[in-house]
Amino acid sequence: MTTQLITSRDNPLVQRLRKHVQDPSAYRKLGEVWLEGDHLCSACLARGVPVALAVIADTAWQGEHGVAPAFDEQARRLSELARQASKVVVVPEALWKAFTSLESPARLGFLLNRPGLDGQGAGIRRGVRTVVLDRVQDAGNVGSILRSASAMGFEQLVALKGTAALWSGKVLRAGMGAHFALHLVEQASADDLDGLGVPMVATSSHTDQMLPSAPLPDPCAWVMGHEGQGVAEAVMAKCQLRVCIPQPGGEESLNVAAAAAVCLYESLRRRHPH
C-alpha cells in the first residue's frame, strides 16, 4: 500500500471525482466507479472486489498525512477500510466538499477500476434468475429494485437503454451494496433479451392471471417497466406470461419498486414454500 497527500482542487484526481458527481453516467466514459461512504466501501470489500484507490479525509486518516486522533473510533474504522486499497490518497476535509454529492462529507471513498461499463448489453448470462428494467428512470426505484433482487436470490439484473445509470451515485446509495451481489448489464436492447434463455414474466393490469395463482416458471426473468408508460410493447411481446398484482384497496397501480419486491418475493416463496 502506498499513500499520497493531495491538497489542490486542480489535481487530476480531484477533477475526475468531480466528473463522477456532476455526471451520473461519467463512469461509462472513465471506466471506473466512485463509491462514497463506509457502508458501500464495506459492502465492496465483503464481496472481494479489488480496490485500486481509496480516498480519505485527513481528519479520518490515522497515519502519515493524517490528523485524526488515535482514540477516534470512527476514524480508526475508516482508516482500516482505506488500508484495504492498493493506494490511499489523503485530502483535507475541506477539499472533500469539491467532489461530494452528500450534505455531510463521508470522509471515505473507493475508486474502482471497472472497464467495459459502456458495453451495449454485452455479457448477459443465460439461464439464471434475472430482473429486467425497461426504462425505469428514478434512481431511487432502480436502487431499491437492486436490493430486492439481491435479497430474493436473483442473480442478474439487465437494464435496457433509458434506465437510470446503474453505477451512478444515487443508485449506488439506494442499492446499499446490492450491486456487488448481482451480475449487472446495462444499455441493453430488446433484442438482447433473447439471450436470457429463461421465460420472461411481466406485470400488467390487462390480464386475468393473478400473481398468487399464476404458474410462475423458475428460473424466470421478471420485467419491470417505465414508471408511467409500463413495459414497452416490443419487450412485452417477448414475455411468455403476464400477471396482475391483486390490489383490493382500489389503487390504480403500485410504485415499480414496490411491485418488484412483491413479485420477486412471490418467486422466492414458490421456491421455498415451507
Side-chain angles (χ1 to χ4, degrees), residues 247-266:
Q247 297 173 65
E251 294 298 326
E252 181 180 351
S253 63
L254 290 175
N255 168 274
V256 65
V262 169
C263 294
L264 302 185
Y265 176 76
E266 181 63 16

Side-chain angles (χ1 to χ4, degrees), residues 12-69:
L13 173 61
V14 174
Q15 294 302 310
R16 274 162 49 206
L17 295 177
R18 292 184 68 185
K19 288 180 181 179
H20 280 289
V21 173
Q22 294 167 354
D23 179 3
S25 62
Y27 63 86
R28 292 176 183 161
K29 298 176 182 178
L30 298 174
E32 60 187 19
V33 170
W34 171 238
L35 307 180
E36 190 172 0
D38 62 315
H39 183 88
L40 284 175
C41 292
S42 296
C44 166
L45 292 172
R47 292 287 176 173
V49 178
V51 180
L53 179 67
V55 182
I56 189 168
D58 56 0
T59 54
W61 178 241
Q62 294 183 336
E64 184 185 4
H65 309 309
V67 297

Side-chain angles (χ1 to χ4, degrees), residues 36 47 76 108 136 181-182 199:
E36 190 172 0
R47 292 287 176 173
R76 183 191 64 79
L108 175 69
V136 179
L182 297 163

Side-chain angles (χ1 to χ4, degrees), residues 39-221:
H39 183 88
L40 284 175
C41 292
S42 296
C44 166
L45 292 172
R47 292 287 176 173
V49 178
V51 180
L53 179 67
V55 182
I56 189 168
D58 56 0
T59 54
W61 178 241
Q62 294 183 336
E64 184 185 4
H65 309 309
V67 297
F71 59 83
D72 187 331
E73 181 61 27
Q74 184 184 31
R76 183 191 64 79
R77 170 173 165 73
L78 296 179
S79 293
E80 287 182 354
L81 291 172
R83 292 178 194 279
Q84 305 305 307
S86 300
K87 181 178 180 180
V88 176
V89 168
V90 182
V91 301
E93 184 168 326
L95 182 58
W96 195 280
K97 297 176 182 179
F99 54 81
T100 185
S101 58
L102 306 176
E103 291 185 8
S104 299
R107 298 201 298 169
L108 175 69
F110 284 170
L111 199 59
L112 308 180
N113 292 326
R114 308 290 276 188
L117 289 172
D118 59 346
Q120 302 292 304
I124 288 179
R125 292 179 180 171
R126 189 174 183 85
V128 301
R129 296 184 183 100
T130 301
V131 177
V132 176
L133 302 185
D134 177 21
R135 298 164 298 128
V136 179
Q137 296 183 336
D138 182 83
N141 283 337
V142 172
S144 181
I145 293 172
L146 280 162
R147 290 182 69 185
S148 294
S150 173
M152 303 305 165
F154 281 70
E155 302 162 65
Q156 175 174 245
L157 184 139
V158 177
L160 302 187
K161 294 175 184 176
T163 298
L166 295 186
W167 292 94
S168 67
K170 288 183 178 180
V171 175
L172 279 163
R173 288 192 293 277
M176 296 289 286
H179 287 69
F180 305 110
L182 297 163
H183 177 67
L184 303 180
V185 178
E186 61 178 347
Q187 297 285 84
S189 68
D191 289 340
D192 290 327
L193 300 178
D194 295 336
L196 287 170
V198 294
M200 293 169 56
V201 183
T203 57
S204 171
S205 58
H206 306 294
T207 179
D208 294 328
Q209 191 73 260
M210 293 292 146
L211 176 62
S213 57
L216 294 180
D218 183 63
C220 72

